[in-house]
Amino acid sequence: MQVLLILAVVASAGLVLFALARGLFYFAQGHRAAMEGNEHENQLMQNRMMMARVKWQAVTIILIVLIGLLAVLCIGISLAAPQFYSPDNAIAILRQCALVLIVAVGMTMLLVAGEVDLSVGASLAFTGCVAM
């Protein structure tokens, strides 16, 4: 349950960044069309930009709800098990998540740039095999 909630938060954050980047891209295209005097293309880009903003707002609301659920879950676990917030547990969690977090940061940058790289899983597996 916790892993799914964390994955949902990370996915929502990625969607927010992607929608924001797409909105900025459409804004730049609309600005270029306005400068060139192409009214139809300018209106089309404004409509796309508005839809990107609406999607960004919806995904932001989902992200806020998921972060709230994660906070409630952490508070509930900390009340049930006092060792949850111990330094040893925090270090263990960070060690387990370090590799995934590093890959996730790189993939987020790729998605914001509009690129898709499907070889990340294979590269990660190959690196793990070579490191052993």
Side-chain angles (χ1 to χ4, degrees):
M1 173 68 182
Q2 296 169 350
V3 174
L4 292 177
L5 189 59
I6 291 171
L7 287 175
V9 169
V10 170
S12 295
L15 287 173
V16 167
L17 289 173
F18 180 70
L20 183 62
R22 193 169 66 182
L24 290 173
F25 175 73
Y26 289 147
F27 175 75
Q29 282 185 339
H31 181 70
R32 181 181 47 83
M35 292 306 222
E36 293 174 356
N38 191 348
E39 188 62 36
H40 176 69
E41 188 175 337
N42 184 25
Q43 186 64 34
L44 181 65
M45 288 301 128
Q46 285 180 357
N47 290 342
R48 286 184 179 172
M49 190 172 61
M50 183 181 70
M51 288 305 296
R53 186 177 69 211
V54 168
K55 289 178 185 176
W56 177 77
Q57 290 170 348
V59 172
T60 303
I61 291 170
I62 292 170
L63 181 62
I64 290 170
V65 169
L66 288 173
I67 289 174
L69 286 173
L70 182 63
V72 168
L73 186 64
C74 287
I75 290 170
I77 290 173
S78 67
L79 293 175
Q83 69 273 16
F84 180 71
Y85 280 121
S86 69
D88 292 333
N89 190 35
I91 290 171
I93 290 172
L94 289 174
R95 281 185 181 161
Q96 292 173 2
C97 297
L99 188 60
V100 175
L101 290 173
I102 291 169
V103 172
V105 167
M107 284 302 295
T108 301
M109 293 299 127
L110 280 175
L111 289 175
V112 167
E115 300 291 327
V116 176
D117 185 12
L118 299 177
S119 66
V120 173
S123 299
L124 186 62
F126 178 71
T127 305
C129 291
V130 170
M132 291 289 183

mmCIF file of all heavy atoms in Angstrom, residues 10-50:
data_model
loop_
_atom_site.group_PDB
_atom_site.id
_atom_site.type_symbol
_atom_site.label_atom_id
_atom_site.label_comp_id
_atom_site.label_asym_id
_atom_site.label_seq_id
_atom_site.Cartn_x
_atom_site.Cartn_y
_atom_site.Cartn_z
ATOM 1 N N VAL A 10 4.862 10.133 -6.988
ATOM 2 C CA VAL A 10 5.950 10.409 -7.935
ATOM 3 C C VAL A 10 5.407 10.548 -9.359
ATOM 4 O O VAL A 10 5.801 11.445 -10.101
ATOM 5 C CB VAL A 10 7.028 9.310 -7.848
ATOM 6 C CG1 VAL A 10 8.042 9.437 -8.967
ATOM 7 C CG2 VAL A 10 7.722 9.364 -6.496
ATOM 8 N N ALA A 11 4.469 9.682 -9.724
ATOM 9 C CA ALA A 11 3.883 9.757 -11.069
ATOM 10 C C ALA A 11 3.098 11.056 -11.239
ATOM 11 O O ALA A 11 3.182 11.708 -12.291
ATOM 12 C CB ALA A 11 2.977 8.555 -11.314
ATOM 13 N N SER A 12 2.362 11.460 -10.222
ATOM 14 C CA SER A 12 1.610 12.713 -10.312
ATOM 15 C C SER A 12 2.544 13.907 -10.417
ATOM 16 O O SER A 12 2.271 14.844 -11.168
ATOM 17 C CB SER A 12 0.690 12.867 -9.097
ATOM 18 O OG SER A 12 -0.281 11.867 -9.089
ATOM 19 N N ALA A 13 3.630 13.891 -9.662
ATOM 20 C CA ALA A 13 4.602 14.988 -9.757
ATOM 21 C C ALA A 13 5.200 15.053 -11.159
ATOM 22 O O ALA A 13 5.375 16.135 -11.718
ATOM 23 C CB ALA A 13 5.697 14.813 -8.709
ATOM 24 N N GLY A 14 5.505 13.897 -11.733
ATOM 25 C CA GLY A 14 6.011 13.877 -13.100
ATOM 26 C C GLY A 14 4.999 14.411 -14.097
ATOM 27 O O GLY A 14 5.342 15.144 -15.020
ATOM 28 N N LEU A 15 3.719 14.066 -13.889
ATOM 29 C CA LEU A 15 2.677 14.576 -14.774
ATOM 30 C C LEU A 15 2.518 16.087 -14.655
ATOM 31 O O LEU A 15 2.270 16.772 -15.644
ATOM 32 C CB LEU A 15 1.354 13.879 -14.479
ATOM 33 C CG LEU A 15 1.250 12.426 -14.932
ATOM 34 C CD1 LEU A 15 -0.044 11.799 -14.424
ATOM 35 C CD2 LEU A 15 1.330 12.329 -16.435
ATOM 36 N N VAL A 16 2.657 16.609 -13.443
ATOM 37 C CA VAL A 16 2.579 18.063 -13.257
ATOM 38 C C VAL A 16 3.703 18.743 -14.029
ATOM 39 O O VAL A 16 3.473 19.716 -14.752
ATOM 40 C CB VAL A 16 2.649 18.431 -11.757
ATOM 41 C CG1 VAL A 16 2.893 19.915 -11.570
ATOM 42 C CG2 VAL A 16 1.366 18.026 -11.057
ATOM 43 N N LEU A 17 4.913 18.234 -13.893
ATOM 44 C CA LEU A 17 6.043 18.824 -14.624
ATOM 45 C C LEU A 17 5.861 18.712 -16.135
ATOM 46 O O LEU A 17 6.150 19.643 -16.879
ATOM 47 C CB LEU A 17 7.354 18.154 -14.196
ATOM 48 C CG LEU A 17 7.835 18.481 -12.795
ATOM 49 C CD1 LEU A 17 9.050 17.625 -12.451
ATOM 50 C CD2 LEU A 17 8.163 19.946 -12.671
ATOM 51 N N PHE A 18 5.357 17.565 -16.589
ATOM 52 C CA PHE A 18 5.153 17.368 -18.017
ATOM 53 C C PHE A 18 4.091 18.327 -18.549
ATOM 54 O O PHE A 18 4.269 18.949 -19.597
ATOM 55 C CB PHE A 18 4.748 15.920 -18.283
ATOM 56 C CG PHE A 18 4.511 15.628 -19.730
ATOM 57 C CD1 PHE A 18 5.561 15.594 -20.624
ATOM 58 C CD2 PHE A 18 3.229 15.398 -20.189
ATOM 59 C CE1 PHE A 18 5.338 15.340 -21.965
ATOM 60 C CE2 PHE A 18 2.995 15.145 -21.526
ATOM 61 C CZ PHE A 18 4.054 15.113 -22.415
ATOM 62 N N ALA A 19 2.966 18.468 -17.825
ATOM 63 C CA ALA A 19 1.902 19.371 -18.267
ATOM 64 C C ALA A 19 2.381 20.819 -18.261
ATOM 65 O O ALA A 19 2.042 21.599 -19.160
ATOM 66 C CB ALA A 19 0.674 19.209 -17.372
ATOM 67 N N LEU A 20 3.181 21.183 -17.271
ATOM 68 C CA LEU A 20 3.712 22.535 -17.220
ATOM 69 C C LEU A 20 4.651 22.806 -18.390
ATOM 70 O O LEU A 20 4.558 23.847 -19.041
ATOM 71 C CB LEU A 20 4.441 22.749 -15.886
ATOM 72 C CG LEU A 20 4.993 24.139 -15.636
ATOM 73 C CD1 LEU A 20 3.869 25.160 -15.612
ATOM 74 C CD2 LEU A 20 5.758 24.163 -14.331
ATOM 75 N N ALA A 21 5.513 21.853 -18.690
ATOM 76 C CA ALA A 21 6.438 22.026 -19.816
ATOM 77 C C ALA A 21 5.673 22.103 -21.133
ATOM 78 O O ALA A 21 6.005 22.905 -22.012
ATOM 79 C CB ALA A 21 7.437 20.875 -19.844
ATOM 80 N N ARG A 22 4.627 21.283 -21.282
ATOM 81 C CA ARG A 22 3.847 21.319 -22.517
ATOM 82 C C ARG A 22 3.112 22.649 -22.662
ATOM 83 O O ARG A 22 3.029 23.214 -23.751
ATOM 84 C CB ARG A 22 2.868 20.152 -22.542
ATOM 85 C CG ARG A 22 2.253 19.955 -23.905
ATOM 86 C CD ARG A 22 1.507 18.680 -23.987
ATOM 87 N NE ARG A 22 0.362 18.760 -23.098
ATOM 88 C CZ ARG A 22 -0.497 17.782 -22.904
ATOM 89 N NH1 ARG A 22 -0.323 16.651 -23.519
ATOM 90 N NH2 ARG A 22 -1.509 17.929 -22.106
ATOM 91 N N GLY A 23 2.595 23.173 -21.538
ATOM 92 C CA GLY A 23 1.941 24.478 -21.585
ATOM 93 C C GLY A 23 2.895 25.580 -22.001
ATOM 94 O O GLY A 23 2.546 26.466 -22.781
ATOM 95 N N LEU A 24 4.123 25.526 -21.489
ATOM 96 C CA LEU A 24 5.122 26.518 -21.878
ATOM 97 C C LEU A 24 5.494 26.388 -23.348
ATOM 98 O O LEU A 24 5.710 27.389 -24.039
ATOM 99 C CB LEU A 24 6.368 26.374 -21.004
ATOM 100 C CG LEU A 24 6.208 26.793 -19.544
ATOM 101 C CD1 LEU A 24 7.456 26.440 -18.757
ATOM 102 C CD2 LEU A 24 5.895 28.258 -19.433
ATOM 103 N N PHE A 25 5.543 25.154 -23.848
ATOM 104 C CA PHE A 25 5.834 24.932 -25.265
ATOM 105 C C PHE A 25 4.733 25.538 -26.140
ATOM 106 O O PHE A 25 5.007 26.225 -27.120
ATOM 107 C CB PHE A 25 5.985 23.433 -25.527
ATOM 108 C CG PHE A 25 6.161 23.088 -26.971
ATOM 109 C CD1 PHE A 25 7.348 23.360 -27.618
ATOM 110 C CD2 PHE A 25 5.128 22.500 -27.681
ATOM 111 C CE1 PHE A 25 7.512 23.047 -28.963
ATOM 112 C CE2 PHE A 25 5.281 22.182 -29.016
ATOM 113 C CZ PHE A 25 6.482 22.460 -29.654
ATOM 114 N N TYR A 26 3.477 25.287 -25.766
ATOM 115 C CA TYR A 26 2.357 25.851 -26.530
ATOM 116 C C TYR A 26 2.342 27.376 -26.443
ATOM 117 O O TYR A 26 1.998 28.059 -27.408
ATOM 118 C CB TYR A 26 1.030 25.292 -26.046
ATOM 119 C CG TYR A 26 0.818 23.835 -26.403
ATOM 120 C CD1 TYR A 26 0.105 23.005 -25.572
ATOM 121 C CD2 TYR A 26 1.330 23.297 -27.572
ATOM 122 C CE1 TYR A 26 -0.105 21.673 -25.887
ATOM 123 C CE2 TYR A 26 1.143 21.975 -27.898
ATOM 124 C CZ TYR A 26 0.419 21.167 -27.054
ATOM 125 O OH TYR A 26 0.223 19.859 -27.368
ATOM 126 N N PHE A 27 2.709 27.920 -25.291
ATOM 127 C CA PHE A 27 2.776 29.371 -25.149
ATOM 128 C C PHE A 27 3.810 29.948 -26.105
ATOM 129 O O PHE A 27 3.564 30.961 -26.768
ATOM 130 C CB PHE A 27 3.117 29.748 -23.705
ATOM 131 C CG PHE A 27 3.322 31.210 -23.518
ATOM 132 C CD1 PHE A 27 2.242 32.076 -23.488
ATOM 133 C CD2 PHE A 27 4.597 31.735 -23.386
ATOM 134 C CE1 PHE A 27 2.432 33.428 -23.326
ATOM 135 C CE2 PHE A 27 4.795 33.085 -23.219
ATOM 136 C CZ PHE A 27 3.704 33.941 -23.186
ATOM 137 N N ALA A 28 4.972 29.286 -26.193
ATOM 138 C CA ALA A 28 6.018 29.775 -27.100
ATOM 139 C C ALA A 28 5.562 29.705 -28.551
ATOM 140 O O ALA A 28 5.814 30.619 -29.338
ATOM 141 C CB ALA A 28 7.300 28.970 -26.896
ATOM 142 N N GLN A 29 4.867 28.620 -28.924
ATOM 143 C CA GLN A 29 4.372 28.511 -30.301
ATOM 144 C C GLN A 29 3.311 29.575 -30.589
ATOM 145 O O GLN A 29 3.293 30.154 -31.671
ATOM 146 C CB GLN A 29 3.786 27.123 -30.532
ATOM 147 C CG GLN A 29 4.821 26.059 -30.748
ATOM 148 C CD GLN A 29 4.193 24.730 -31.103
ATOM 149 O OE1 GLN A 29 3.019 24.493 -30.828
ATOM 150 N NE2 GLN A 29 4.977 23.851 -31.714
ATOM 151 N N GLY A 30 2.420 29.822 -29.618
ATOM 152 C CA GLY A 30 1.398 30.857 -29.811
ATOM 153 C C GLY A 30 1.999 32.241 -29.929
ATOM 154 O O GLY A 30 1.541 33.068 -30.723
ATOM 155 N N HIS A 31 3.031 32.502 -29.133
ATOM 156 C CA HIS A 31 3.702 33.797 -29.206
ATOM 157 C C HIS A 31 4.375 33.984 -30.564
ATOM 158 O O HIS A 31 4.303 35.058 -31.165
ATOM 159 C CB HIS A 31 4.731 33.912 -28.079
ATOM 160 C CG HIS A 31 5.457 35.212 -28.057
ATOM 161 N ND1 HIS A 31 4.837 36.387 -27.716
ATOM 162 C CD2 HIS A 31 6.748 35.522 -28.352
ATOM 163 C CE1 HIS A 31 5.712 37.367 -27.787
ATOM 164 N NE2 HIS A 31 6.877 36.860 -28.178
ATOM 165 N N ARG A 32 4.999 32.907 -31.058
ATOM 166 C CA ARG A 32 5.637 32.976 -32.376
ATOM 167 C C ARG A 32 4.596 33.227 -33.462
ATOM 168 O O ARG A 32 4.799 34.030 -34.374
ATOM 169 C CB ARG A 32 6.398 31.681 -32.658
ATOM 170 C CG ARG A 32 7.124 31.669 -33.993
ATOM 171 C CD ARG A 32 7.846 30.364 -34.242
ATOM 172 N NE ARG A 32 7.049 29.180 -33.976
ATOM 173 C CZ ARG A 32 6.174 28.631 -34.842
ATOM 174 N NH1 ARG A 32 5.993 29.189 -36.016
ATOM 175 N NH2 ARG A 32 5.504 27.547 -34.522
ATOM 176 N N ALA A 33 3.432 32.541 -33.362
ATOM 177 C CA ALA A 33 2.381 32.723 -34.368
ATOM 178 C C ALA A 33 1.815 34.135 -34.314
ATOM 179 O O ALA A 33 1.496 34.728 -35.350
ATOM 180 C CB ALA A 33 1.267 31.697 -34.148
ATOM 181 N N ALA A 34 1.701 34.692 -33.108
ATOM 182 C CA ALA A 34 1.193 36.064 -32.982
ATOM 183 C C ALA A 34 2.172 37.056 -33.593
ATOM 184 O O ALA A 34 1.757 38.043 -34.219
ATOM 185 C CB ALA A 34 0.944 36.390 -31.518
ATOM 186 N N MET A 35 3.447 36.809 -33.428
ATOM 187 C CA MET A 35 4.447 37.709 -33.997
ATOM 188 C C MET A 35 4.469 37.640 -35.520
ATOM 189 O O MET A 35 4.744 38.631 -36.177
ATOM 190 C CB MET A 35 5.843 37.383 -33.446
ATOM 191 C CG MET A 35 5.974 37.709 -31.986
ATOM 192 S SD MET A 35 5.501 39.406 -31.702
ATOM 193 C CE MET A 35 6.712 39.919 -30.582
ATOM 194 N N GLU A 36 4.179 36.450 -36.052
ATOM 195 C CA GLU A 36 4.160 36.296 -37.502
ATOM 196 C C GLU A 36 2.837 36.741 -38.110
ATOM 197 O O GLU A 36 2.715 36.832 -39.328
ATOM 198 C CB GLU A 36 4.431 34.831 -37.865
ATOM 199 C CG GLU A 36 5.837 34.385 -37.526
ATOM 200 C CD GLU A 36 6.044 32.901 -37.750
ATOM 201 O OE1 GLU A 36 5.065 32.201 -38.107
ATOM 202 O OE2 GLU A 36 7.174 32.435 -37.566
ATOM 203 N N GLY A 37 1.836 36.989 -37.282
ATOM 204 C CA GLY A 37 0.556 37.472 -37.769
ATOM 205 C C GLY A 37 -0.409 36.383 -38.184
ATOM 206 O O GLY A 37 -1.434 36.656 -38.794
ATOM 207 N N ASN A 38 -0.156 35.146 -37.855
ATOM 208 C CA ASN A 38 -1.034 34.024 -38.181
ATOM 209 C C ASN A 38 -2.079 33.888 -37.079
ATOM 210 O O ASN A 38 -1.851 33.259 -36.055
ATOM 211 C CB ASN A 38 -0.212 32.738 -38.337
ATOM 212 C CG ASN A 38 -1.033 31.616 -38.920
ATOM 213 O OD1 ASN A 38 -2.254 31.700 -39.015
ATOM 214 N ND2 ASN A 38 -0.350 30.552 -39.305
ATOM 215 N N GLU A 39 -3.262 34.473 -37.291
ATOM 216 C CA GLU A 39 -4.302 34.542 -36.251
ATOM 217 C C GLU A 39 -4.897 33.173 -35.941
ATOM 218 O O GLU A 39 -5.156 32.856 -34.788
ATOM 219 C CB GLU A 39 -5.410 35.513 -36.692
ATOM 220 C CG GLU A 39 -6.433 35.796 -35.626
ATOM 221 C CD GLU A 39 -5.839 36.461 -34.397
ATOM 222 O OE1 GLU A 39 -4.921 37.283 -34.534
ATOM 223 O OE2 GLU A 39 -6.300 36.140 -33.286
ATOM 224 N N HIS A 40 -5.114 32.353 -36.966
ATOM 225 C CA HIS A 40 -5.716 31.028 -36.735
ATOM 226 C C HIS A 40 -4.792 30.151 -35.890
ATOM 227 O O HIS A 40 -5.236 29.493 -34.946
ATOM 228 C CB HIS A 40 -6.024 30.347 -38.066
ATOM 229 C CG HIS A 40 -6.552 28.956 -37.915
ATOM 230 N ND1 HIS A 40 -7.803 28.706 -37.393
ATOM 231 C CD2 HIS A 40 -5.995 27.751 -38.182
ATOM 232 C CE1 HIS A 40 -7.993 27.392 -37.352
ATOM 233 N NE2 HIS A 40 -6.903 26.796 -37.839
ATOM 234 N N GLU A 41 -3.521 30.134 -36.231
ATOM 235 C CA GLU A 41 -2.573 29.318 -35.468
ATOM 236 C C GLU A 41 -2.415 29.859 -34.048
ATOM 237 O O GLU A 41 -2.284 29.097 -33.093
ATOM 238 C CB GLU A 41 -1.218 29.286 -36.164
ATOM 239 C CG GLU A 41 -0.247 28.314 -35.541
ATOM 240 C CD GLU A 41 1.051 28.202 -36.323
ATOM 241 O OE1 GLU A 41 1.070 28.508 -37.520
ATOM 242 O OE2 GLU A 41 2.037 27.808 -35.691
ATOM 243 N N ASN A 42 -2.487 31.190 -33.905
ATOM 244 C CA ASN A 42 -2.403 31.794 -32.580
ATOM 245 C C ASN A 42 -3.581 31.340 -31.713
ATOM 246 O O ASN A 42 -3.403 30.979 -30.547
ATOM 247 C CB ASN A 42 -2.371 33.319 -32.700
ATOM 248 C CG ASN A 42 -2.197 33.987 -31.354
ATOM 249 O OD1 ASN A 42 -1.663 33.392 -30.432
ATOM 250 N ND2 ASN A 42 -2.651 35.217 -31.249
ATOM 251 N N GLN A 43 -4.802 31.332 -32.268
ATOM 252 C CA GLN A 43 -5.979 30.897 -31.518
ATOM 253 C C GLN A 43 -5.877 29.414 -31.155
ATOM 254 O O GLN A 43 -6.236 29.013 -30.054
ATOM 255 C CB GLN A 43 -7.253 31.146 -32.345
ATOM 256 C CG GLN A 43 -8.536 30.855 -31.605
ATOM 257 C CD GLN A 43 -8.728 31.781 -30.424
ATOM 258 O OE1 GLN A 43 -8.348 32.943 -30.467
ATOM 259 N NE2 GLN A 43 -9.313 31.267 -29.370
ATOM 260 N N LEU A 44 -5.384 28.620 -32.090
ATOM 261 C CA LEU A 44 -5.211 27.188 -31.831
ATOM 262 C C LEU A 44 -4.216 26.959 -30.687
ATOM 263 O O LEU A 44 -4.463 26.142 -29.793
ATOM 264 C CB LEU A 44 -4.719 26.489 -33.102
ATOM 265 C CG LEU A 44 -4.521 24.985 -33.018
ATOM 266 C CD1 LEU A 44 -5.851 24.291 -32.786
ATOM 267 C CD2 LEU A 44 -3.874 24.474 -34.290
ATOM 268 N N MET A 45 -3.119 27.691 -30.683
ATOM 269 C CA MET A 45 -2.130 27.542 -29.613
ATOM 270 C C MET A 45 -2.686 28.027 -28.277
ATOM 271 O O MET A 45 -2.399 27.459 -27.230
ATOM 272 C CB MET A 45 -0.847 28.298 -29.946
ATOM 273 C CG MET A 45 -0.037 27.661 -31.035
ATOM 274 S SD MET A 45 0.439 25.991 -30.620
ATOM 275 C CE MET A 45 -0.121 25.134 -32.065
ATOM 276 N N GLN A 46 -3.520 29.074 -28.292
ATOM 277 C CA GLN A 46 -4.128 29.536 -27.043
ATOM 278 C C GLN A 46 -5.081 28.483 -26.484
ATOM 279 O O GLN A 46 -5.128 28.266 -25.270
ATOM 280 C CB GLN A 46 -4.868 30.849 -27.274
ATOM 281 C CG GLN A 46 -3.956 32.035 -27.416
ATOM 282 C CD GLN A 46 -4.715 33.320 -27.653
ATOM 283 O OE1 GLN A 46 -5.942 33.330 -27.776
ATOM 284 N NE2 GLN A 46 -3.996 34.426 -27.721
ATOM 285 N N ASN A 47 -5.835 27.810 -27.346
ATOM 286 C CA ASN A 47 -6.722 26.745 -26.891
ATOM 287 C C ASN A 47 -5.927 25.581 -26.310
ATOM 288 O O ASN A 47 -6.291 25.020 -25.272
ATOM 289 C CB ASN A 47 -7.611 26.250 -28.036
ATOM 290 C CG ASN A 47 -8.638 27.264 -28.445
ATOM 291 O OD1 ASN A 47 -8.941 28.195 -27.706
ATOM 292 N ND2 ASN A 47 -9.171 27.107 -29.643
ATOM 293 N N ARG A 48 -4.846 25.195 -26.967
ATOM 294 C CA ARG A 48 -4.010 24.111 -26.452
ATOM 295 C C ARG A 48 -3.383 24.493 -25.113
ATOM 296 O O ARG A 48 -3.278 23.675 -24.209
ATOM 297 C CB ARG A 48 -2.919 23.761 -27.457
ATOM 298 C CG ARG A 48 -3.422 23.003 -28.645
ATOM 299 C CD ARG A 48 -2.284 22.619 -29.541
ATOM 300 N NE ARG A 48 -2.752 21.867 -30.691
ATOM 301 C CZ ARG A 48 -1.996 21.534 -31.708
ATOM 302 N NH1 ARG A 48 -0.711 21.872 -31.715
ATOM 303 N NH2 ARG A 48 -2.481 20.854 -32.709
ATOM 304 N N MET A 49 -2.948 25.752 -25.006
ATOM 305 C CA MET A 49 -2.346 26.214 -23.768
ATOM 306 C C MET A 49 -3.364 26.188 -22.623
ATOM 307 O O MET A 49 -3.054 25.799 -21.499
ATOM 308 C CB MET A 49 -1.789 27.624 -23.952
ATOM 309 C CG MET A 49 -0.947 28.104 -22.801
ATOM 310 S SD MET A 49 -0.124 29.669 -23.145
ATOM 311 C CE MET A 49 -1.499 30.742 -23.422
ATOM 312 N N MET A 50 -4.614 26.563 -22.931
ATOM 313 C CA MET A 50 -5.660 26.541 -21.914
ATOM 314 C C MET A 50 -5.928 25.109 -21.461
ATOM 315 O O MET A 50 -6.066 24.834 -20.264
ATOM 316 C CB MET A 50 -6.945 27.166 -22.457
ATOM 317 C CG MET A 50 -8.047 27.231 -21.415
ATOM 318 S SD MET A 50 -9.558 27.928 -22.053
ATOM 319 C CE MET A 50 -10.086 26.627 -23.133
#
